[in-house]
Amino acid sequence: MTTRSTSTGELIRLMRAAGFTGIDESRVLAEDWQVTDFAEAGRRSLANLVQSVGAPAVMVSFLDSDVGFVEALTPDGNGWEGLLNRETAKSYEIPLERFPVESAVAGAIAWSVVAGLTPDEEAVRQALTGSALFAEELSSALLVALGLPDAA
């Protein structure tokens, strides 16, 4: 989970209220952005959190470190979804057509701009189409490509 928040304690409290469980401590990035690990999220957890925080957020859920499911929202309700490690996702029989790359790239760029960041479109596309041993590597690359400060 990556979002802006005024304090780590406040973000963790809001995440719990939004339906996230197994929350670890946040890592603070520049410009009040925070990265927080969690075990599980409910169906509307991201939407609830974005509404509570009043800031854009991006969430990546991992399947055995092999595949990453990306979901991002802005406070005005605009969002996008993407898939990390598409080749590996095939072995899990995940329907790739549910995660069109160009739609995800366009959504990611729009999300990033609304979040006040400077995205790198080609790097976003690479993260969403690339392969890695662990999907977490692609997640880190995606955060950097979205323009999140100090995400590397």
Side-chain angles (χ1 to χ4, degrees):
M1 166 64 55
T2 305
T3 190
R4 276 192 168 139
S5 185
T6 55
S7 75
T8 299
E10 179 69 3
L11 177 60
I12 290 173
R13 185 187 70 73
L14 291 171
M15 286 180 71
R16 285 187 181 123
F20 291 87
T21 63
I23 302 167
D24 288 336
E25 289 190 31
S26 291
R27 179 172 57 108
V28 179
L29 307 176
E31 300 174 27
D32 295 326
W33 284 93
Q34 295 185 50
V35 175
T36 306
D37 292 332
F38 61 93
E40 294 184 22
R43 181 172 156 84
R44 297 229 355 109
S45 294
L46 181 62
N48 293 339
L49 181 66
V50 168
Q51 184 179 20
S52 295
V53 173
V58 61
M59 174 176 77
V60 182
S61 301
F62 297 100
L63 176 61
D64 295 333
S65 289
D66 293 331
V67 178
F69 298 92
V70 183
E71 184 179 355
L73 285 173
T74 61
D76 61 7
N78 290 320
W80 63 278
E81 294 180 336
L83 184 66
L84 301 174
N85 239 3
R86 296 175 73 83
E87 286 301 312
T88 303
K90 285 181 192 178
S91 68
Y92 283 95
E93 298 181 3
I94 295 169
L96 300 184
E97 66 275 3
R98 288 191 52 221
F99 302 95
V101 172
E102 291 310 313
S103 175
V105 171
I109 298 305
W111 178 91
S112 183
V113 170
V114 168
L117 303 171
T118 304
D120 178 335
E121 183 173 344
E122 190 52 40
V124 167
R125 182 174 283 102
Q126 179 59 40
L128 292 170
T129 59
S131 294
L133 182 57
F134 299 108
E136 288 87 351
E137 296 171 40
L138 294 170
S139 177
S140 294
L142 178 62
L143 295 179
V144 170
L146 290 171
L148 284 156
D150 298 334

